[in-house]
Amino acid sequence: MSDQNAAPATITTEKPAYVERIVYILALLLVLLGLVNVTPAIPGWDSLWKDLTGNELFRIRRFPTEWLFPITFFWMMLIVALKHSMWRSWADRRVVVRRIGLLFDVTLVVVAAAISLTYLTEIEAVCLIDVFTGDRERLVLKALQAEIDFAELYGLPAPDSADDPGCLNTTGSWLILIMFGAVVVFLGYNIKVWGLPLVLVSILIATYTFLTILNWYVFGAEDQNKYLVTILSSEEVRSLGSSLGFFQDALVNQSAGLLGRFINVLLILVFPYVILGALFGKCAGGQALIKLAFGATRNLRGGPAHAAVVSSAMFGTITGGPVVNVLSTGVLTIPMMLKRGFSKVFAGGVEAAASSGGAIMPPIMGVAAFIMAALTGVPYREIIIAATIPAMFYFFCLFLSVVFQARKQNIEAVGELSDDMRLTRENRLHLMQIFGPVLLVLVLLLTPKDAVGCSWYSVLLGAVVDQSSGTCEITSLPWIIELFQNAAGDASAAGWWAVGLLLILMFIDKEFRAKPMKIFDGLSQAGVTISTLFLMFMAVTVIDVCLNFTGLAKFVAVDVLGFLNSFDVSTNSVGFQLFALFLTMLLAVLLGMGMPAVPAYINVALLMGPMLVGLGLATFTAHMFIFYFAVASAITPPVALAAFAAASITKADPMKTGFSAVRSGIVMFTIPFIFAIYPELLLIDKAVINPNDGLFLTGYDGMINLGRLGFLVLRVAVALYLVSSALAAFDRSALRPLEILVRLALAVLILTRPMEVYGISLAAAALLVGWHTLRNRDGVPA
C-alpha cells in the first residue's frame, strides 16, 4: 500500500547493474527483517525459539525498539541514497555538479549513521558509549542496589531489575550540531526525491524555530512576543548547553522524536500493508478485478466510467495512492471511456477522483489513516468503521456524476462485452488474490478481541468456558482460536496474515508459477517504497519536533479562539465552527498541493488540530475532517497530481482535467463539513466526545439511533443528488442557471439542523426533481 501521491522527483537515468543489485538485496533483507519483527503473537512460537536456543532472552519478533529503530533508519537511508543517488541522476551534467551530487549522497549516509549512533548513545536504554567504557554495567548495578536498599528499608520484596540509569558519557554539546546538520541534510534530500512542495513547509517551520532559538539566545525572553521565543526560554541560564535536555528529547522521545512515533507507525502498523500493495502489483488479480467491474456495469449507461469508479475504489483501498491508482487502473479504464464517447476531460477527471477516493475507502485505505490512528489514539478498526458512510457517499456521488454525464452525451449502455473483457475461469480464480486478503483484513479488524473466546464457534471447536455466573470466563482455548483471538482487532497482525495469504494465492496463477521470483521482486519493491516513505516522514517529523520547541500550534489556537470570542458569540456556535472549518480546509488544500496526503494531513493536524478541538469538535472528528482535505488535495488545481497523471493518459489539458475531477468528486469537499456538523455519521463514540470535558457532546449519548441516522443519510443523499446534478448542469435534460442555483440552495437547506427548514426543503426538492422528470419523461432515458 504505497501512499505516494506523487512519484519521487528523480531524473531517470541508467543505473549500474551492481548498484541495482545492491538496492534489490538491501530492500529485500529490510522487508524480511520487518516481516519477522511484526510477526503476530502465535501460540507457542516465542517459547519454541527460546527452547531451541536455550536463551530465555532470545526474541524472534517485536525486537527492542531502542535497537530496531536506529538500525533500520540507517538501513533505509542507505537504500534511499543508492536508489535516488544525486551522483547518478546528474550523470549528464558537469563533473563539478556530479561531485556535489556524490557529496550529498555520502552526506546523507554519514548523517544517518551519526543520528543512529547518537540515538544509541543518548537513549537511556542503551547508552552506547557507556557500554564500551564499562560504565554501563557499573551504573546498572548501582541503580539496582539502590532499589534493593529501598525495598529493604520499607520491608518490600527485593527487586531483580531497576529502571535504566541515565547515560554518563554522551555527545554533549555536539548533539545540537548533529541535530541541526541532520535536519538540513534530510530536508535537502527530500527536495530531490519528493520535490520542493513537500519540504517547503518544513523549511519554513524549521527556519522559524531556528530564528526563535537564536533570538532567545541573543536577546532573551523578557518583554518579547510569545511568537519570537521558544520553550527553551524556560531555562534560567540562557545557553544552548543548558538546554541539551530539549534536544535529547527531540531525538529519543518515542512520541515526538526524530526516531519516534512515525518510524513506529511505519515499521509496525503500515509495514505489512506496503508489502501487500507491492505484491498486488505483481499478481493477476488486478486485471481480473477490472474485468469484473466492467461486467457488473455493462448494462448501465455510464458503462466503463462506472467500471472505473468500482475498480478504482476496490484497487485504491489496497494501494492507497491516487497517482499509483490512476496509473494502474486508468491505463485500461480511460481508453474504454473514450471509446464509449466520454470526453477526454471528463474521463480523466472521473478516474482521478475515483482513484483519490481509494485513500478513504475501507477496509485498508492509505498510510494517512494509520497515522491518524497513531495521532488520535483511536484503534484502526474504529477508523474503518467511521470511514464507511462518508466513503459510500463519495462513490455514490461519483456514480451520479457518471450518470448525468452519460445522459448529457447520450451515451448508451455497452450491453455485450468483448471477448477480451469477459471473465474466464482463470480470472475468477485470480479474483481470490484480491478478495481473499481484503476479506481477511476486514474480518480480523472488525472482530472484537474480547468476543472471540466466548463465541459459538470457539465452543464448537473445543473452547472451555464457564457462563454459569452470567459472565463468560475462559478456562482454555484451542490453538486455532487463540491464534484468531491474538490477531483480532490488531491492524498489524491483520496485514501480516493478509500478506501470508496473498503469497499462497499468487501461486493460483500458472504464469506466476512459471516465474515465482516475482515474489522477491515485489518484496524488494516494497522495501524501496518503505525507505522512500520514511524519508518523507522525516520532513513532517521535523515539523513535529520544531512545533514542540516553539509552541506555535498552541499559540495559533489560543489567538484564533480569542479572536472569535471577541465577537461575544459562543465559539461552539455552528457559524464559528464553519468559519474555522473553512480556514482549515483552505490550509489543508494549500499545504497539500504537490505533496502526498500523509505530510499534508500531518502538517495541518499539527497546526490547526488544536484550534478545531478548542472549538468543541471531537478530536477524532477534527482529524477526520483534516484527513479528507489532505486526500482531496490530489485533485485540487492548480497542482492536482492525480488529475495530472490522468491527463498524461488522456492527453487532455491537465488543468481542465483537475477542475473536472473536482466536479466529479465534489463530495470530498462537502462531506467533511457534513460529518463535522453531524458527527453521528462517523458511527463511533470517539466522534461525539467533547475534548474539553471528556463527556458526550450535547444531544449525544454514544448510542446509534438507527431511525435518526437513516433519515439523516436520506437527507444527505438527496442533497448530494442536487449538488451533483447542479454541477453537471444536467439531470434528465440541461438545467437552466436559475434551476442550478435553486438546487444548490435546497441542498444547503436540507442539511441545516432546524426540522422546519430541512423538512420544507426536502418537500421542495421532491417537487422540483419530480417536475423536472415529468417535464422530460419523453426525453433522455435514465
Side-chain angles (χ1 to χ4, degrees), residues 373-414:
L375 293 182
T376 61
V378 175
Y380 190 74
R381 64 178 299 271
E382 294 190 28
I383 287 180
I384 66 173
I385 293 172
T388 300
I389 290 181
M392 290 171 57
F393 281 139
Y394 182 73
F395 286 99
F396 167 71
C397 201
L398 285 181
F399 259 84
L400 290 177
S401 176
V402 172
V403 167
F404 296 137
Q405 186 69 19
R407 290 175 180 176
K408 181 187 293 187
Q409 295 187 226
N410 199 26
I411 296 174
E412 298 298 332
V414 175

mmCIF file of all heavy atoms in Angstrom, residues 373-414:
data_model
loop_
_atom_site.group_PDB
_atom_site.id
_atom_site.type_symbol
_atom_site.label_atom_id
_atom_site.label_comp_id
_atom_site.label_asym_id
_atom_site.label_seq_id
_atom_site.Cartn_x
_atom_site.Cartn_y
_atom_site.Cartn_z
ATOM 1 N N ALA A 373 -4.635 7.041 13.221
ATOM 2 C CA ALA A 373 -4.817 6.163 14.372
ATOM 3 C C ALA A 373 -3.765 6.450 15.435
ATOM 4 O O ALA A 373 -4.056 6.455 16.639
ATOM 5 C CB ALA A 373 -4.748 4.702 13.932
ATOM 6 N N ALA A 374 -2.527 6.714 14.985
ATOM 7 C CA ALA A 374 -1.445 6.993 15.936
ATOM 8 C C ALA A 374 -1.629 8.348 16.605
ATOM 9 O O ALA A 374 -1.394 8.488 17.811
ATOM 10 C CB ALA A 374 -0.101 6.931 15.214
ATOM 11 N N LEU A 375 -2.051 9.371 15.852
ATOM 12 C CA LEU A 375 -2.173 10.721 16.401
ATOM 13 C C LEU A 375 -3.386 10.875 17.313
ATOM 14 O O LEU A 375 -3.355 11.665 18.262
ATOM 15 C CB LEU A 375 -2.249 11.744 15.263
ATOM 16 C CG LEU A 375 -0.998 11.918 14.395
ATOM 17 C CD1 LEU A 375 -1.216 13.009 13.351
ATOM 18 C CD2 LEU A 375 0.224 12.236 15.240
ATOM 19 N N THR A 376 -4.464 10.153 17.019
ATOM 20 C CA THR A 376 -5.700 10.306 17.798
ATOM 21 C C THR A 376 -5.850 9.263 18.894
ATOM 22 O O THR A 376 -6.652 9.442 19.811
ATOM 23 C CB THR A 376 -6.932 10.224 16.881
ATOM 24 O OG1 THR A 376 -6.968 8.936 16.239
ATOM 25 C CG2 THR A 376 -6.883 11.314 15.817
ATOM 26 N N GLY A 377 -5.089 8.157 18.790
ATOM 27 C CA GLY A 377 -5.247 7.084 19.767
ATOM 28 C C GLY A 377 -6.493 6.252 19.536
ATOM 29 O O GLY A 377 -6.861 5.434 20.386
ATOM 30 N N VAL A 378 -7.156 6.425 18.395
ATOM 31 C CA VAL A 378 -8.352 5.649 18.068
ATOM 32 C C VAL A 378 -7.922 4.372 17.350
ATOM 33 O O VAL A 378 -7.162 4.440 16.381
ATOM 34 C CB VAL A 378 -9.306 6.463 17.161
ATOM 35 C CG1 VAL A 378 -10.499 5.619 16.727
ATOM 36 C CG2 VAL A 378 -9.780 7.710 17.893
ATOM 37 N N PRO A 379 -8.346 3.201 17.806
ATOM 38 C CA PRO A 379 -7.953 1.951 17.142
ATOM 39 C C PRO A 379 -8.309 1.967 15.654
ATOM 40 O O PRO A 379 -9.342 2.533 15.263
ATOM 41 C CB PRO A 379 -8.757 0.880 17.886
ATOM 42 C CG PRO A 379 -9.070 1.489 19.211
ATOM 43 C CD PRO A 379 -9.226 2.963 18.962
ATOM 44 N N TYR A 380 -7.465 1.338 14.854
ATOM 45 C CA TYR A 380 -7.678 1.373 13.406
ATOM 46 C C TYR A 380 -9.005 0.738 13.014
ATOM 47 O O TYR A 380 -9.646 1.178 12.051
ATOM 48 C CB TYR A 380 -6.526 0.660 12.686
ATOM 49 C CG TYR A 380 -6.569 0.871 11.193
ATOM 50 C CD1 TYR A 380 -6.207 2.100 10.657
ATOM 51 C CD2 TYR A 380 -7.004 -0.124 10.335
ATOM 52 C CE1 TYR A 380 -6.264 2.320 9.296
ATOM 53 C CE2 TYR A 380 -7.062 0.080 8.970
ATOM 54 C CZ TYR A 380 -6.693 1.299 8.451
ATOM 55 O OH TYR A 380 -6.766 1.521 7.102
ATOM 56 N N ARG A 381 -9.451 -0.268 13.744
ATOM 57 C CA ARG A 381 -10.725 -0.907 13.416
ATOM 58 C C ARG A 381 -11.877 0.097 13.524
ATOM 59 O O ARG A 381 -12.850 0.023 12.777
ATOM 60 C CB ARG A 381 -10.980 -2.119 14.308
ATOM 61 C CG ARG A 381 -11.134 -1.811 15.786
ATOM 62 C CD ARG A 381 -11.428 -3.077 16.595
ATOM 63 N NE ARG A 381 -12.660 -3.699 16.168
ATOM 64 C CZ ARG A 381 -13.854 -3.408 16.661
ATOM 65 N NH1 ARG A 381 -13.978 -2.456 17.584
ATOM 66 N NH2 ARG A 381 -14.926 -4.026 16.241
ATOM 67 N N GLU A 382 -11.786 1.038 14.470
ATOM 68 C CA GLU A 382 -12.831 2.054 14.598
ATOM 69 C C GLU A 382 -12.724 3.100 13.495
ATOM 70 O O GLU A 382 -13.731 3.678 13.084
ATOM 71 C CB GLU A 382 -12.763 2.715 15.981
ATOM 72 C CG GLU A 382 -13.089 1.767 17.118
ATOM 73 C CD GLU A 382 -13.266 2.490 18.445
ATOM 74 O OE1 GLU A 382 -13.653 3.669 18.434
ATOM 75 O OE2 GLU A 382 -13.015 1.860 19.495
ATOM 76 N N ILE A 383 -11.514 3.334 13.018
ATOM 77 C CA ILE A 383 -11.344 4.296 11.922
ATOM 78 C C ILE A 383 -12.018 3.789 10.660
ATOM 79 O O ILE A 383 -12.669 4.551 9.938
ATOM 80 C CB ILE A 383 -9.851 4.583 11.691
ATOM 81 C CG1 ILE A 383 -9.312 5.443 12.831
ATOM 82 C CG2 ILE A 383 -9.624 5.291 10.346
ATOM 83 C CD1 ILE A 383 -7.855 5.789 12.723
ATOM 84 N N ILE A 384 -11.885 2.506 10.360
ATOM 85 C CA ILE A 384 -12.523 1.993 9.137
ATOM 86 C C ILE A 384 -14.040 1.973 9.279
ATOM 87 O O ILE A 384 -14.762 2.132 8.292
ATOM 88 C CB ILE A 384 -11.976 0.607 8.737
ATOM 89 C CG1 ILE A 384 -12.334 -0.465 9.772
ATOM 90 C CG2 ILE A 384 -10.475 0.654 8.519
ATOM 91 C CD1 ILE A 384 -11.965 -1.860 9.329
ATOM 92 N N ILE A 385 -14.534 1.809 10.512
ATOM 93 C CA ILE A 385 -15.980 1.907 10.732
ATOM 94 C C ILE A 385 -16.439 3.346 10.489
ATOM 95 O O ILE A 385 -17.437 3.591 9.813
ATOM 96 C CB ILE A 385 -16.342 1.453 12.159
ATOM 97 C CG1 ILE A 385 -16.077 -0.049 12.326
ATOM 98 C CG2 ILE A 385 -17.797 1.777 12.479
ATOM 99 C CD1 ILE A 385 -16.235 -0.541 13.753
ATOM 100 N N ALA A 386 -15.679 4.292 11.045
ATOM 101 C CA ALA A 386 -16.037 5.705 10.898
ATOM 102 C C ALA A 386 -15.983 6.152 9.447
ATOM 103 O O ALA A 386 -16.738 7.042 9.032
ATOM 104 C CB ALA A 386 -15.103 6.559 11.745
ATOM 105 N N ALA A 387 -15.090 5.567 8.654
ATOM 106 C CA ALA A 387 -14.917 5.991 7.260
ATOM 107 C C ALA A 387 -15.957 5.398 6.325
ATOM 108 O O ALA A 387 -16.046 5.816 5.168
ATOM 109 C CB ALA A 387 -13.520 5.599 6.774
ATOM 110 N N THR A 388 -16.775 4.469 6.794
ATOM 111 C CA THR A 388 -17.664 3.713 5.902
ATOM 112 C C THR A 388 -18.718 4.587 5.232
ATOM 113 O O THR A 388 -18.828 4.624 4.003
ATOM 114 C CB THR A 388 -18.338 2.568 6.679
ATOM 115 O OG1 THR A 388 -17.330 1.692 7.195
ATOM 116 C CG2 THR A 388 -19.273 1.784 5.762
ATOM 117 N N ILE A 389 -19.526 5.296 6.018
ATOM 118 C CA ILE A 389 -20.623 6.084 5.427
ATOM 119 C C ILE A 389 -20.082 7.223 4.557
ATOM 120 O O ILE A 389 -20.567 7.418 3.434
ATOM 121 C CB ILE A 389 -21.563 6.612 6.537
ATOM 122 C CG1 ILE A 389 -22.352 5.443 7.135
ATOM 123 C CG2 ILE A 389 -22.517 7.665 5.973
ATOM 124 C CD1 ILE A 389 -23.324 5.847 8.232
ATOM 125 N N PRO A 390 -19.084 8.002 5.005
ATOM 126 C CA PRO A 390 -18.525 9.030 4.108
ATOM 127 C C PRO A 390 -17.999 8.451 2.797
ATOM 128 O O PRO A 390 -18.184 9.056 1.734
ATOM 129 C CB PRO A 390 -17.390 9.647 4.944
ATOM 130 C CG PRO A 390 -17.818 9.452 6.349
ATOM 131 C CD PRO A 390 -18.501 8.127 6.370
ATOM 132 N N ALA A 391 -17.357 7.289 2.839
ATOM 133 C CA ALA A 391 -16.851 6.668 1.607
ATOM 134 C C ALA A 391 -17.996 6.256 0.690
ATOM 135 O O ALA A 391 -17.921 6.421 -0.535
ATOM 136 C CB ALA A 391 -15.982 5.464 1.943
ATOM 137 N N MET A 392 -19.062 5.734 1.270
ATOM 138 C CA MET A 392 -20.237 5.360 0.468
ATOM 139 C C MET A 392 -20.820 6.590 -0.220
ATOM 140 O O MET A 392 -21.200 6.543 -1.398
ATOM 141 C CB MET A 392 -21.282 4.684 1.358
ATOM 142 C CG MET A 392 -20.880 3.305 1.841
ATOM 143 S SD MET A 392 -22.033 2.653 3.086
ATOM 144 C CE MET A 392 -23.586 2.702 2.191
ATOM 145 N N PHE A 393 -20.899 7.694 0.509
ATOM 146 C CA PHE A 393 -21.397 8.939 -0.087
ATOM 147 C C PHE A 393 -20.497 9.400 -1.224
ATOM 148 O O PHE A 393 -20.980 9.869 -2.257
ATOM 149 C CB PHE A 393 -21.503 10.035 0.972
ATOM 150 C CG PHE A 393 -22.715 9.942 1.844
ATOM 151 C CD1 PHE A 393 -22.635 10.180 3.210
ATOM 152 C CD2 PHE A 393 -23.947 9.621 1.303
ATOM 153 C CE1 PHE A 393 -23.757 10.098 4.010
ATOM 154 C CE2 PHE A 393 -25.087 9.539 2.102
ATOM 155 C CZ PHE A 393 -24.983 9.772 3.450
ATOM 156 N N TYR A 394 -19.191 9.270 -1.033
ATOM 157 C CA TYR A 394 -18.251 9.744 -2.048
ATOM 158 C C TYR A 394 -18.444 8.988 -3.358
ATOM 159 O O TYR A 394 -18.569 9.596 -4.434
ATOM 160 C CB TYR A 394 -16.819 9.582 -1.554
ATOM 161 C CG TYR A 394 -15.795 10.089 -2.544
ATOM 162 C CD1 TYR A 394 -15.618 11.450 -2.738
ATOM 163 C CD2 TYR A 394 -15.032 9.224 -3.294
ATOM 164 C CE1 TYR A 394 -14.695 11.932 -3.654
ATOM 165 C CE2 TYR A 394 -14.106 9.688 -4.215
ATOM 166 C CZ TYR A 394 -13.941 11.044 -4.388
ATOM 167 O OH TYR A 394 -13.040 11.510 -5.306
ATOM 168 N N PHE A 395 -18.486 7.679 -3.290
ATOM 169 C CA PHE A 395 -18.606 6.908 -4.525
ATOM 170 C C PHE A 395 -20.039 6.941 -5.082
ATOM 171 O O PHE A 395 -20.238 6.802 -6.283
ATOM 172 C CB PHE A 395 -18.121 5.475 -4.298
ATOM 173 C CG PHE A 395 -16.620 5.402 -4.185
ATOM 174 C CD1 PHE A 395 -15.996 5.346 -2.951
ATOM 175 C CD2 PHE A 395 -15.828 5.449 -5.319
ATOM 176 C CE1 PHE A 395 -14.612 5.318 -2.849
ATOM 177 C CE2 PHE A 395 -14.447 5.425 -5.233
ATOM 178 C CZ PHE A 395 -13.835 5.357 -3.996
ATOM 179 N N PHE A 396 -21.030 7.173 -4.219
ATOM 180 C CA PHE A 396 -22.391 7.422 -4.695
ATOM 181 C C PHE A 396 -22.423 8.687 -5.549
ATOM 182 O O PHE A 396 -23.045 8.719 -6.620
ATOM 183 C CB PHE A 396 -23.328 7.557 -3.491
ATOM 184 C CG PHE A 396 -24.688 8.113 -3.809
ATOM 185 C CD1 PHE A 396 -25.611 7.369 -4.520
ATOM 186 C CD2 PHE A 396 -25.044 9.395 -3.384
ATOM 187 C CE1 PHE A 396 -26.883 7.893 -4.809
ATOM 188 C CE2 PHE A 396 -26.299 9.914 -3.662
ATOM 189 C CZ PHE A 396 -27.219 9.166 -4.379
ATOM 190 N N CYS A 397 -21.719 9.713 -5.091
ATOM 191 C CA CYS A 397 -21.658 10.973 -5.824
ATOM 192 C C CYS A 397 -20.925 10.789 -7.159
ATOM 193 O O CYS A 397 -21.305 11.369 -8.178
ATOM 194 C CB CYS A 397 -20.963 12.025 -4.972
ATOM 195 S SG CYS A 397 -21.324 13.726 -5.452
ATOM 196 N N LEU A 398 -19.873 9.988 -7.171
ATOM 197 C CA LEU A 398 -19.172 9.710 -8.420
ATOM 198 C C LEU A 398 -20.070 8.982 -9.405
ATOM 199 O O LEU A 398 -20.058 9.260 -10.615
ATOM 200 C CB LEU A 398 -17.919 8.874 -8.142
ATOM 201 C CG LEU A 398 -16.718 9.595 -7.530
ATOM 202 C CD1 LEU A 398 -15.562 8.630 -7.341
ATOM 203 C CD2 LEU A 398 -16.278 10.758 -8.412
ATOM 204 N N PHE A 399 -20.875 8.045 -8.914
ATOM 205 C CA PHE A 399 -21.820 7.345 -9.779
ATOM 206 C C PHE A 399 -22.819 8.331 -10.384
ATOM 207 O O PHE A 399 -23.139 8.253 -11.579
ATOM 208 C CB PHE A 399 -22.560 6.262 -8.984
ATOM 209 C CG PHE A 399 -22.018 4.884 -9.208
ATOM 210 C CD1 PHE A 399 -20.923 4.440 -8.490
ATOM 211 C CD2 PHE A 399 -22.588 4.032 -10.137
ATOM 212 C CE1 PHE A 399 -20.401 3.177 -8.686
ATOM 213 C CE2 PHE A 399 -22.079 2.761 -10.343
ATOM 214 C CZ PHE A 399 -20.977 2.323 -9.621
ATOM 215 N N LEU A 400 -23.309 9.249 -9.550
ATOM 216 C CA LEU A 400 -24.243 10.256 -10.059
ATOM 217 C C LEU A 400 -23.585 11.109 -11.132
ATOM 218 O O LEU A 400 -24.206 11.433 -12.164
ATOM 219 C CB LEU A 400 -24.727 11.146 -8.913
ATOM 220 C CG LEU A 400 -25.660 10.509 -7.884
ATOM 221 C CD1 LEU A 400 -25.977 11.518 -6.784
ATOM 222 C CD2 LEU A 400 -26.952 10.023 -8.546
ATOM 223 N N SER A 401 -22.348 11.491 -10.910
ATOM 224 C CA SER A 401 -21.617 12.296 -11.892
ATOM 225 C C SER A 401 -21.546 11.588 -13.233
ATOM 226 O O SER A 401 -21.747 12.189 -14.294
ATOM 227 C CB SER A 401 -20.211 12.594 -11.367
ATOM 228 O OG SER A 401 -19.451 13.285 -12.332
ATOM 229 N N VAL A 402 -21.275 10.283 -13.190
ATOM 230 C CA VAL A 402 -21.205 9.491 -14.429
ATOM 231 C C VAL A 402 -22.574 9.404 -15.088
ATOM 232 O O VAL A 402 -22.704 9.524 -16.311
ATOM 233 C CB VAL A 402 -20.655 8.090 -14.124
ATOM 234 C CG1 VAL A 402 -20.768 7.190 -15.355
ATOM 235 C CG2 VAL A 402 -19.204 8.180 -13.666
ATOM 236 N N VAL A 403 -23.616 9.209 -14.269
ATOM 237 C CA VAL A 403 -24.979 9.109 -14.814
ATOM 238 C C VAL A 403 -25.358 10.379 -15.567
ATOM 239 O O VAL A 403 -25.845 10.335 -16.707
ATOM 240 C CB VAL A 403 -25.983 8.841 -13.671
ATOM 241 C CG1 VAL A 403 -27.417 9.047 -14.163
ATOM 242 C CG2 VAL A 403 -25.813 7.428 -13.142
ATOM 243 N N PHE A 404 -25.120 11.528 -14.937
ATOM 244 C CA PHE A 404 -25.511 12.789 -15.570
ATOM 245 C C PHE A 404 -24.677 13.070 -16.827
ATOM 246 O O PHE A 404 -25.196 13.584 -17.820
ATOM 247 C CB PHE A 404 -25.376 13.942 -14.577
ATOM 248 C CG PHE A 404 -26.301 13.825 -13.393
ATOM 249 C CD1 PHE A 404 -25.854 14.096 -12.105
ATOM 250 C CD2 PHE A 404 -27.626 13.437 -13.560
ATOM 251 C CE1 PHE A 404 -26.705 13.986 -11.021
ATOM 252 C CE2 PHE A 404 -28.478 13.320 -12.479
ATOM 253 C CZ PHE A 404 -28.016 13.594 -11.205
ATOM 254 N N GLN A 405 -23.391 12.720 -16.790
ATOM 255 C CA GLN A 405 -22.547 12.933 -17.972
ATOM 256 C C GLN A 405 -22.978 12.022 -19.116
ATOM 257 O O GLN A 405 -22.986 12.439 -20.287
ATOM 258 C CB GLN A 405 -21.074 12.674 -17.613
ATOM 259 C CG GLN A 405 -20.097 12.992 -18.725
ATOM 260 C CD GLN A 405 -19.975 14.473 -19.016
ATOM 261 O OE1 GLN A 405 -20.341 15.298 -18.171
ATOM 262 N NE2 GLN A 405 -19.501 14.828 -20.193
ATOM 263 N N ALA A 406 -23.337 10.779 -18.785
ATOM 264 C CA ALA A 406 -23.793 9.845 -19.820
ATOM 265 C C ALA A 406 -25.089 10.340 -20.453
ATOM 266 O O ALA A 406 -25.286 10.239 -21.672
ATOM 267 C CB ALA A 406 -23.981 8.458 -19.223
ATOM 268 N N ARG A 407 -25.979 10.862 -19.629
ATOM 269 C CA ARG A 407 -27.218 11.426 -20.166
ATOM 270 C C ARG A 407 -26.918 12.641 -21.053
ATOM 271 O O ARG A 407 -27.495 12.786 -22.128
ATOM 272 C CB ARG A 407 -28.144 11.840 -19.024
ATOM 273 C CG ARG A 407 -28.743 10.692 -18.238
ATOM 274 C CD ARG A 407 -29.545 11.218 -17.059
ATOM 275 N NE ARG A 407 -30.137 10.148 -16.272
ATOM 276 C CZ ARG A 407 -30.814 10.340 -15.143
ATOM 277 N NH1 ARG A 407 -30.968 11.585 -14.679
ATOM 278 N NH2 ARG A 407 -31.321 9.321 -14.486
ATOM 279 N N LYS A 408 -26.013 13.488 -20.575
ATOM 280 C CA LYS A 408 -25.692 14.701 -21.318
ATOM 281 C C LYS A 408 -25.127 14.364 -22.698
ATOM 282 O O LYS A 408 -25.464 15.013 -23.695
ATOM 283 C CB LYS A 408 -24.674 15.537 -20.528
ATOM 284 C CG LYS A 408 -24.286 16.841 -21.216
ATOM 285 C CD LYS A 408 -23.153 17.560 -20.482
ATOM 286 C CE LYS A 408 -23.578 18.054 -19.140
ATOM 287 N NZ LYS A 408 -22.524 18.899 -18.489
ATOM 288 N N GLN A 409 -24.246 13.350 -22.762
ATOM 289 C CA GLN A 409 -23.625 12.990 -24.037
ATOM 290 C C GLN A 409 -24.394 11.903 -24.777
ATOM 291 O O GLN A 409 -23.956 11.434 -25.834
ATOM 292 C CB GLN A 409 -22.183 12.531 -23.800
ATOM 293 C CG GLN A 409 -21.275 13.615 -23.261
ATOM 294 C CD GLN A 409 -19.816 13.172 -23.199
ATOM 295 O OE1 GLN A 409 -19.133 13.380 -22.209
ATOM 296 N NE2 GLN A 409 -19.324 12.574 -24.282
ATOM 297 N N ASN A 410 -25.567 11.510 -24.186
ATOM 298 C CA ASN A 410 -26.424 10.498 -24.805
ATOM 299 C C ASN A 410 -25.651 9.212 -25.109
ATOM 300 O O ASN A 410 -25.726 8.635 -26.206
ATOM 301 C CB ASN A 410 -27.048 11.038 -26.102
ATOM 302 C CG ASN A 410 -28.265 10.225 -26.520
ATOM 303 O OD1 ASN A 410 -28.934 9.599 -25.689
ATOM 304 N ND2 ASN A 410 -28.551 10.208 -27.817
ATOM 305 N N ILE A 411 -24.906 8.754 -24.122
ATOM 306 C CA ILE A 411 -24.117 7.527 -24.266
ATOM 307 C C ILE A 411 -24.964 6.344 -23.823
ATOM 308 O O ILE A 411 -25.564 6.359 -22.745
ATOM 309 C CB ILE A 411 -22.839 7.617 -23.416
ATOM 310 C CG1 ILE A 411 -21.952 8.747 -23.943
ATOM 311 C CG2 ILE A 411 -22.074 6.294 -23.413
ATOM 312 C CD1 ILE A 411 -20.740 9.030 -23.090
ATOM 313 N N GLU A 412 -25.025 5.323 -24.654
ATOM 314 C CA GLU A 412 -25.832 4.144 -24.367
ATOM 315 C C GLU A 412 -25.013 3.105 -23.617
ATOM 316 O O GLU A 412 -23.786 3.164 -23.570
ATOM 317 C CB GLU A 412 -26.363 3.539 -25.672
ATOM 318 C CG GLU A 412 -27.276 4.468 -26.463
ATOM 319 C CD GLU A 412 -28.545 4.830 -25.693
ATOM 320 O OE1 GLU A 412 -28.980 4.009 -24.859
ATOM 321 O OE2 GLU A 412 -29.087 5.924 -25.914
ATOM 322 N N ALA A 413 -25.718 2.130 -23.029
ATOM 323 C CA ALA A 413 -25.054 1.059 -22.304
ATOM 324 C C ALA A 413 -24.253 0.181 -23.260
ATOM 325 O O ALA A 413 -24.578 0.050 -24.442
ATOM 326 C CB ALA A 413 -26.093 0.218 -21.564
ATOM 327 N N VAL A 414 -23.199 -0.424 -22.727
ATOM 328 C CA VAL A 414 -22.349 -1.295 -23.541
ATOM 329 C C VAL A 414 -23.088 -2.552 -23.956
ATOM 330 O O VAL A 414 -22.996 -3.008 -25.104
ATOM 331 C CB VAL A 414 -21.064 -1.674 -22.754
ATOM 332 C CG1 VAL A 414 -20.227 -2.670 -23.533
ATOM 333 C CG2 VAL A 414 -20.274 -0.430 -22.424
#
